[in-house]
Structure formats: structure tokens, C-alpha cells
Amino acid sequence: MATIEARLAELGITLPDAPMPAANYVPFVRSGNQIFVSGQISNGPDGLIKGRLGANMDVAEGALAARFCGLALIAQAKAAIGDLDKIARVVKLTGFVNSTADFTDQPKVINGCSDLMVEVFGDTGRHARSAVSAASLPLGVAVEIEAIFEIT
């Protein structure tokens, strides 16, 4: 069993199927030794995770939504390259948080995804990151995150 697949099993993580695009874009683009994964929206086992941080969701709920985005990002990376052991580095995450104007804990929300990347990939999962607020997100979801992975 591959190292990352074994780590996922050890953590009790089952990746979802890589989500299909909802509009006129592709889920990922490979350019040289990088995979650019389109934004993945918060979608859990019970469907879309909707809400607005600072209004009807707290930081812990937002971080869980971000973790589900991270699972979808890993699933897309696997769809792109087939073998997660080919990931040399999680280069960057850009996280968007559906939040009120006075909400300032976007970084704590996106930590749900960042923490997952380190859990799964170890030091290879440490990355650069942006965490920003959005007045709204597609379909009313709480979080959307995109990623750049370096591959071998």
C-alpha cells in the first residue's frame, strides 16, 4: 500500500469521489510539475455545508467545512495524478470564508483544511496560504478552498 494511502487509512479517512465541475471549467490543470486544483466548496456526507460565519455558524463548524474542502482537494489531486505519493509539496491554499463584515477569524476557519494537509502529508503538507472573507459563496456554502500541489 502506498504511504499516503496507508496514512489515510490509519487516520480513518476515506476520500470522497472527486467532484465534477459545476460550470465551464476543469477541476484541475497540470502545468509542469504543479497541479492547480479549482476551488472546492464545503460538501459533507449530508450534502452542502451552508452558512455564514459570524451569523449562523461558529468557527468550529467553519473549520469542519474547510476540512471537507480539503478532502475534496486531495481527491482532485488523486484524480489528477493517480498516486498521492507523487505529491512533493502542498504549495499553497487559498481559502474563502462566507462571513459577515465584522467576522475576523477566517484563518481559524481555514485551519480546518491546513491541519488536514499536515495530518495527511506531514511536513510536505505545510504550505503558504491566504484566508479571506467573501460576502457570499456559490450555492450559499460556508467555505471554498483552492490548492496548488507540486508533484514529482
Side-chain angles (χ1 to χ4, degrees):
M1 182 181 285
T3 306
I4 298 303
E5 294 289 341
R7 181 75 180 138
L8 288 168
E10 176 184 309
L11 293 168
I13 294 173
T14 301
L15 292 178
D17 291 335
M20 296 302 296
N24 189 17
Y25 64 91
V26 294
F28 54 82
V29 170
R30 181 174 180 170
S31 180
N33 67 338
Q34 293 186 322
I35 301 291
F36 294 78
V37 179
S38 295
Q40 301 297 298
I41 59 176
S42 50
N43 193 11
D46 299 323
L48 295 176
I49 302 170
K50 298 181 178 186
R52 187 170 195 145
L53 281 291
N56 61 356
M57 285 187 91
D58 64 27
V59 170
E61 292 169 314
L64 181 60
R67 183 178 177 88
F68 281 113
C69 292
L71 292 171
L73 289 166
I74 295 169
Q76 291 291 7
K78 184 175 180 179
I81 59 175
D83 178 1
L84 291 172
D85 287 321
K86 292 181 181 177
I87 292 179
R89 183 80 190 206
V90 179
V91 176
K92 182 165 186 196
L93 300 178
T94 303
F96 303 92
V97 179
N98 184 353
S99 60
T100 60
D102 61 343
F103 184 80
T104 59
D105 283 332
Q106 293 83 358
K108 291 179 183 176
V109 170
I110 303 304
N111 277 347
C113 183
S114 292
D115 292 347
L116 174 70
M117 295 300 165
V118 176
E119 281 178 59
V120 172
F121 297 105
D123 283 341
T124 297
R126 296 192 184 282
H127 52 271
R129 185 181 89 176
S130 298
V132 298
S133 184
S136 67
L137 289 174
L139 306 173
V141 297
V143 181
E144 179 174 353
I145 304 174
E146 63 182 29
I148 302 170
F149 296 92
E150 180 183 354
I151 56 173
T152 57

